[in-house]
Amino acid sequence: MYSLHEGSGLFLLAVLAGLQITAEGRGTPPCRPGFSEDVYKVLVPDITEEGQPIFNVRFVDCGRGGLLRFECSNPSDFRIEADGVVYAARSIQHSTLPALPVLIKASDTTTQQEWVTQVTLIPSTHSSQQVEEVAVPPVMSKDLKEIVFPSRNTDSQLKRMKRDWVIPPINVPENSRGPFPQELVRIRSDHDKSRSLRYSVTGPGADQPPTGIFIIDPISGELSVNKPLDREHIPNFHLRAHAVDLNGNQVENPIDIVINVIDMNDNRPEFTHQIWNGTVPEGSKPGTFVMTVTSVDKDDPKTANGMLRYKILSQNPESPTSNMFTINNKTGGIITVAAGLDREKVPQYTLIIQATDMEGNPMYGLSNTATAVIRVTDINDNPPEFTAETFFGEVPENRVNVIVANLTVTDKDQPNTPAWNAVYKITGGDPTGRFSVPTDPTTNEGLVTVVKPIDYEISRTYVLTVEARNEVPLARGIHSPRQSTATVSIRVIDLNESPYFEPNPKLIRLEEGMMPESMLTTFTAQDPDRFMQQSIRYSKLSDPANWLRIDPNTGRAPPASGTGTLQIYLLDINDNAPKVFPQEAEICQKPEPNAINITAIDGDLNPNAGPFAFELAHRPLDVRRNWTITRISGDYAQLSLKIGFLESGIYEIPIIITDSGNLPMSNTSHLRIKVCQCDINGDCTDQQHIMAAGLGTGAIIAILLCIIILLILVLLFVVWMKRRDKERQAKQLLIDPEDDVRDNILKYDEEGGGEEDQDYDLSQLQQPDTIEPDAIKPVGIRRLDERPLHPEPQYPMRSAAPHPGDIGDFINEAADNDPTAPPYDSLLVFDYEGSGSTAGSLSSLNSSSSGGDQDYDYLNDWGPRFRKLADMYGGSDD
């Protein structure tokens, strides 16, 4: 253990790796980004293995949060990680240490700002010459390495030392079996001699998740690991050690401690796939790449624990040799090492591949296996071969799309592949291309097919030469054998062929208007069957107008018939006169332009039709005075007003039109023109324009039907009204206005006058049967001025009141049982309260004596409506 004195502070450092590091330091300036030290001095062991951590540099970013990138000036000797830890890139000895200081550069990838520090490497054997004093530390209870806090000034203010310790990482093997807790290092301060201190550590693994992995004795400062570590889970820990007094005051600056978990070979290699599939063409040369298998190991790939090696354990089948393939022991690439791959003999190989860590050491390494299935793919190394040298077939003449023969071949290549599918080609015997040989996609047979008619009279047999090939060319060095060519002999069967016309169709030109039984032409046919004696008979096959008659030859009609087409082209003669079109037009009185475009219709064909000649007739005289016609083209002319103004009306304009026939024909057609008043757009604005627009026949018929229906409805309505008036008059004759007592009483709503008008004789009301029969109005008869006006329903006639009877019963019967009594009936208005009331009479109507003294004769002078009252109340007792 080494100690270093400088100034008033005591530095004591010892770590498990056996490395000591010193660095120059200065006073503590304000926080600025950069390395924690400008110059680092590192004590290096005599031998440093490749991948071993040597030291780490600390970068202070002052909360910048930028992404840093570290670079080393000696990349062949040292490798620096993103956390600032420097590893040996190779095995380093004292004799190979660089003489110049190592430069470490940090670059901000965002701002491109750079910082540089120096590292001086010092061999550990010369450390006594580099330090000012070597001291033996005090005796401890346990043989632990110590990490001593850098000293501080007595004024308790932090002061950056000229030289400070860079603490190398602490290496802890993973999967340790304990016992736990297991002490790693002791942390102490030189202030513990004068006061009691308390130590603590913070960071992931201590007071942050995962918590409880590292613990520290607060008094002794012993840092221990509390459980086994797993490098595959967490490869390193970054802790910070603290020292405070009993009052919680910080007595030392916190120091950073890096704990690296040393990898152990505790994971077997794992193949990414348990079964690997690859292909290789048959006939491949040695060294042909087949496939690559890969395996992963969770152990550290920088150590032998994660360095894998591959090898082939077995090959099945072992044909033609047991070593057809080899594998690259580092990359896992499989290649061929022997010739002789033949799919027709061995279509597939199965290899067992083994991956072993510890660089393939069979004694210490862990292994795992996987299966590699290599399928030998087909190449066209086997040509198709016909099963026979000659094939036979026959076909009737004049037949097409007929299969004559089936050609069969054999091919040892993989079925339904381009190297197996056969393609047939006729190489001889068919100069006119009357045959083809397509391939049946299911059976791979060649189908000899007739594609053009064959004539027995020209050739009775055909001998074809057919060659079979594959869809892809044969492999290099493979040639088609004689069996890839065959002969096809085809016999043609003679049939009775139809006669044919020559030429067909035959065209003749005749002028129209020929007389019946005129000789037109002779249309003969020929029989192609030269080896058969046949007679030909003619008949019409189609003559829609039945214009022609054919004289057939006598004889028996043959079974086969031929059809010839005789085309008769009738020549047109000028027998139709031209007519003007359109026959009706419309023109304004005086807008500009004031013209109509016309043409002509001719039933003849050219050259007996247009061009046409247009001119105005000479009669009547006002035609040429008011109108003028101008030729636009051979078929069109323009008719326009010759004068500036023409009265509105309908004008018949005679136009003489002459066609262009050999003997021209002329015709006088009348063009009906409506002259009307027009608006600024040239459209007719008067009522006649609407009439001139014209309606179709269907529209006119529909309008007439609508008019007729409306007239019938009006007539029916008039008849119904007259009939209704007659019915009302008949009813009025049956009603006597004087007999309508109820209406007379209801129209005059008299509630009574003085006492002299209220002394009535009620005997008439108490004796309903005393009413004269002629005063009873027949049921269902009303006056015209009564309500309601609608026809009255027919109800059964009410029976007469019994005699004698009480007027109350009569009123109840009339009100409850008589449906013909309306609510304004006089008998229903006056309610009867009964006789013998204990309350006495309410009016003088109950005094019969006073009623007899009253004189009602003056009611006769009031009109017919009051005569009935005069008779009822003013008459005698009879």
Side-chain angles (χ1 to χ4, degrees), residues 797-877:
M797 183 179 295
R798 182 176 69 248
S799 60
H803 176 73
D806 190 1
I807 190 62
D809 297 334
F810 180 80
I811 292 175
N812 292 333
E813 181 181 357
D816 300 335
N817 302 325
D818 185 7
T820 64
Y824 44 81
D825 198 321
S826 61
L827 295 178
L828 296 179
V829 173
F830 298 95
D831 194 6
Y832 181 70
E833 298 180 356
S835 60
S837 174
T838 58
S841 177
L842 296 178
S843 67
S844 60
L845 292 176
N846 196 29
S847 176
S848 60
S849 61
S850 62
D853 299 336
Q854 185 73 25
D855 184 9
Y856 294 99
D857 293 336
Y858 65 89
L859 294 176
N860 293 322
D861 299 334
W862 289 10
R865 293 180 178 270
F866 292 90
R867 290 175 184 174
K868 181 60 65 178
L869 291 176
D871 294 340
M872 292 177 59
Y873 294 98
S876 62
D877 295 338

Side-chain angles (χ1 to χ4, degrees), residues 53 62 83 97 130 239 266 274-275 277 287 343 349 435 447 475 482 534 539 635 670 733 840:
C62 296
D83 56 358
L97 284 176
Q130 304 296 327
L239 304 179
D266 57 344
Q274 196 59 35
I275 298 179
N277 294 293
R343 189 204 64 84
Y349 290 90
F435 299 91
L447 308 178
R482 182 180 59 84
Q534 302 286 352
S539 62
D635 294 332
H670 288 80
L733 294 175

Side-chain angles (χ1 to χ4, degrees), residues 30-302:
C31 182
R32 59 182 179 84
F35 290 94
S36 61
E37 302 299 332
D38 296 333
V39 178
Y40 295 84
K41 288 189 176 180
V42 179
L43 301 179
V44 183
D46 295 339
I47 298 176
T48 304
E49 297 293 335
E50 178 183 356
Q52 182 177 348
I54 302 177
F55 65 97
N56 72 323
V57 294
R58 180 185 176 191
F59 187 89
V60 180
D61 60 356
C62 296
R64 295 172 63 259
L67 182 62
L68 295 177
R69 182 181 63 197
F70 293 98
E71 295 179 345
C72 180
S73 61
N74 298 64
S76 60
D77 299 330
F78 306 98
R79 172 175 53 87
I80 184 170
E81 297 293 338
D83 56 358
V85 179
V86 180
Y87 297 85
R90 59 179 180 83
S91 297
I92 300 176
Q93 299 179 358
H94 287 171
S95 59
T96 60
L97 284 176
L100 298 177
V102 178
L103 300 180
I104 303 296
K105 181 176 69 174
S107 302
D108 191 327
T109 58
T110 304
T111 63
Q112 305 301 325
Q113 189 175 1
E114 296 181 352
W115 299 267
V116 179
T117 186
Q118 295 184 7
V119 179
T120 302
L121 303 178
I122 303 174
S124 60
T125 55
H126 300 158
S127 61
S128 59
Q129 302 175 4
Q130 304 296 327
V131 298
E132 298 178 353
E133 180 181 357
V134 176
V136 179
V139 178
M140 297 294 178
S141 59
K142 295 184 179 180
D143 188 12
L144 288 179
K145 305 298 181 181
E146 289 186 347
I147 297 177
V148 180
F149 283 94
S151 61
R152 301 174 58 182
N153 290 343
T154 56
D155 55 359
S156 299
Q157 294 182 356
L158 294 177
K159 181 179 180 182
R160 188 171 182 180
M161 307 302 297
K162 183 178 179 181
R163 295 181 181 273
D164 200 0
W165 291 104
V166 177
I167 303 173
I170 301 174
N171 298 325
V172 181
E174 66 172 337
N175 303 326
S176 176
R177 298 183 178 180
F180 295 103
Q182 180 179 354
E183 294 80 4
L184 301 179
V185 69
R186 178 180 291 110
I187 299 174
R188 74 179 188 87
S189 171
D190 55 357
H191 294 283
D192 60 355
K193 299 177 181 179
S194 59
R195 70 180 84 173
S196 296
L197 302 179
R198 294 295 182 265
Y199 301 96
S200 64
V201 290
T202 59
D207 62 339
Q208 300 177 18
T211 60
I213 296 180
F214 299 98
I215 58 175
I216 189 171
D217 189 315
I219 300 177
S220 63
E222 294 178 357
L223 179 64
S224 305
V225 59
N226 203 32
K227 60 181 66 175
L229 303 180
D230 187 357
R231 190 206 66 85
E232 288 72 36
H233 181 55
I234 302 178
N236 53 66
F237 296 87
H238 293 264
L239 304 179
R240 175 164 287 192
H242 306 269
V244 297
D245 58 15
L246 296 180
N247 295 325
N249 298 319
Q250 178 178 325
V251 298
E252 298 285 1
N253 289 330
I255 59 174
D256 295 327
I257 301 175
V258 177
I259 300 177
N260 290 328
V261 182
I262 303 303
D263 183 46
M264 305 295 290
N265 191 18
D266 57 344
N267 292 279
R268 290 181 178 274
E270 297 289 341
F271 284 92
T272 55
H273 300 287
Q274 196 59 35
I275 298 179
W276 297 80
N277 294 293
T279 58
V280 60
E282 62 177 333
S284 297
K285 297 180 179 180
T288 302
F289 175 79
V290 180
M291 61 191 300
T292 299
V293 298
T294 57
S295 179
V296 294
D297 195 317
K298 295 181 180 179
D299 292 325
D300 189 358
K302 301 174 184 177

